[in-house]
Amino acid sequence: TIVLSTADATANVTLPRGLHISGRVTRAGGIAVPDAGVTICAAADRTLCDFVDSTTTDASGNYRSTILGPGSYLVEVRAPFPNPDDLLDGWYRGGVSGNYAARLADAGAITLTAADATANVTLPKGIRIVGTIRRAGGAPVEGASVAVCAVDTASFCDSVADSGYSGSDGSYRTGIVSPGASYQLRVREPADDTTGLIGGWYGAGGIVRTRLDASLVTMTTGDRRLDLVLPTGIRIGGRVAGPAIETGVAFASVRVCRVVVTGCQTEEWATADATGGFLAGPFFPGDFKVRFGAPFDYTTGLRSGWYRIGGVGGFTAQEEDASVLSLAGDATANVLLPAGYRISGTIRADD
């Protein structure tokens, strides 16, 4: 702080020389990679890039950061777009092959003190998973997708590469992945499929329902071929009626749940059409229960409950009395929702 009272003051400052990180991005054989993206990140955070600067490589593959202060930094290198050589993105890590690391967690820090630093990186060529997707009997499936997922315990797919979509001949080709790494595959049926195809996870014996049953796909040095067959799932359909059995209950809700150790796990919510008809699925075979709900406008006065074989109108109010449907094929569950009762009265002020 400079305090001025009755005289001028002098403030001399010596500006330090700024520092740079520079280098060259190449591919196998020392061939330059122009238009690669280079991002400089602060090294304190190893979970995401704490952005400091970015640039791109020139026609010779060279780059140079803007002025940086003393400190520790990480260098991320991204393949150019388009990427005809299928190069992998990655991070600088000195002392290893190509000064390359695939993950941020494995990146090497560059510490700048009084001199510039050099970070040359050789981007390796990625590989893909390729194959065909067909239905049982061999007919090709168009529009199915294959996502390459990181191996973890999450129920969802943490995708590490662009999904491949099958063409009219059933062929697909995923995005670029790393040689030597292991993945799991999530396969989805076409969005517009009406034939009952069901997606799932890749298993060595075929498509499976859960990630726990999925097989690892370990990549080596070249593209991996996996031909997939999508199974046809089962469906549960029927009709929701009211006390006058000929009257369908429009917009009734239908919950189909799978019976598992921890309870009843929802597979799908469906809504009855104008005639009370519904169709849910497709599902993998297994044990199911079905719950029916009266329309949400509450004007029908109907009760909600569960499907029970042999119950009056196929209905029971309690889940513990519901029928467990052990299904390997399609099934029908018709129900007659009974009329419910109401409690009514008046609410008055206390005089």
Side-chain angles (χ1 to χ4, degrees):
T1 301
I2 299 174
V3 179
L4 296 177
S5 56
T6 59
D8 294 343
T10 301
N12 297 320
V13 177
T14 299
L15 296 178
R17 176 183 174 273
L19 303 172
H20 300 269
I21 297 174
S22 59
R24 187 166 185 254
V25 179
T26 57
R27 57 187 175 93
I31 300 172
V33 179
D35 299 319
V38 179
T39 301
I40 311 298
C41 313
D45 192 343
R46 289 305 184 97
T47 59
L48 52 82
C49 174
D50 184 3
F51 178 85
V52 176
D53 182 37
S54 66
T55 185
T56 55
T57 57
D58 62 19
S60 300
N62 297 313
Y63 73 91
R64 187 171 188 258
S65 73
T66 57
I67 297 173
L68 304 172
S72 293
Y73 300 93
L74 305 174
V75 177
E76 180 187 19
V77 182
R78 299 178 308 282
F81 180 82
N83 183 14
D85 299 307
D86 283 355
L87 300 177
L88 290 166
D89 299 337
W91 298 80
Y92 170 80
R93 180 176 181 175
V96 298
S97 176
N99 293 334
Y100 172 87
R103 304 184 308 159
L104 168 58
D106 298 325
I110 298 172
T111 300
L112 297 179
T113 53
D116 294 346
T118 300
N120 299 320
V121 178
T122 299
L123 295 180
K125 178 180 174 61
I127 54 181
R128 300 175 186 263
I129 300 172
V130 301
T132 59
I133 302 176
R134 300 183 180 277
R135 62 179 72 235
V141 176
E142 182 178 5
S145 65
V146 179
V148 183
C149 313
V151 178
D152 57 35
T153 58
S155 59
F156 60 88
C157 173
D158 180 10
S159 180
V160 297
D162 293 336
S163 295
Y165 290 88
S166 56
S168 59
D169 61 351
S171 63
Y172 73 92
R173 184 170 181 255
T174 71
I176 305 166
V177 297
S178 298
S182 294
Y183 304 96
Q184 291 174 308
L185 298 188
R186 180 72 167 94
V187 186
R188 295 190 182 277
E189 69 277 9
D192 58 354
D193 179 67
T194 59
T195 64
L197 291 175
I198 185 168
W201 295 85
Y202 166 75
I207 301 299
V208 295
R209 186 176 71 88
T210 70
R211 186 169 201 161
L212 293 176
D213 300 320
S215 299
L216 292 182
V217 178
T218 300
M219 307 301 291
T220 53
T221 56
D223 289 350
R224 174 81 179 269
R225 184 175 183 88
L226 289 175
D227 293 322
L228 309 172
V229 177
L230 284 185
T232 299
I234 62 173
R235 290 175 167 174
I236 300 175
R239 186 166 178 266
V240 185
I245 195 165
E246 69 277 2
T247 303
V249 180
F251 309 118
S253 64
V254 182
R255 175 193 170 208
V256 178
C257 62
R258 183 180 295 273
V259 179
V260 295
V261 174
T262 55
C264 207
Q265 184 180 79
T266 299
E267 288 273 311
E268 183 179 338
W269 284 94
T271 302
D273 61 23
T275 67
F278 72 92
L279 182 64
F283 311 116
F284 282 91
D287 297 335
F288 301 90
K289 292 181 180 179
V290 184
R291 188 182 190 280
F292 298 95
F296 287 120
D297 62 9
Y298 300 105
T299 60
T300 61
L302 298 176
R303 297 174 64 189
S304 299
W306 297 79
Y307 177 68
R308 178 178 172 83
I309 298 173
V312 177
F315 175 89
T316 182
Q318 304 300 324
E319 179 183 350
E320 55 265 31
D321 297 325
S323 293
V324 176
L325 307 177
S326 297
L327 302 180
D330 294 348
T332 300
N334 296 317
V335 70
L336 177 65
L337 297 182
Y341 300 95
R342 302 176 188 271
I343 299 173
S344 61
T346 58
I347 300 176
R348 302 180 184 278
D350 185 359
D351 294 332

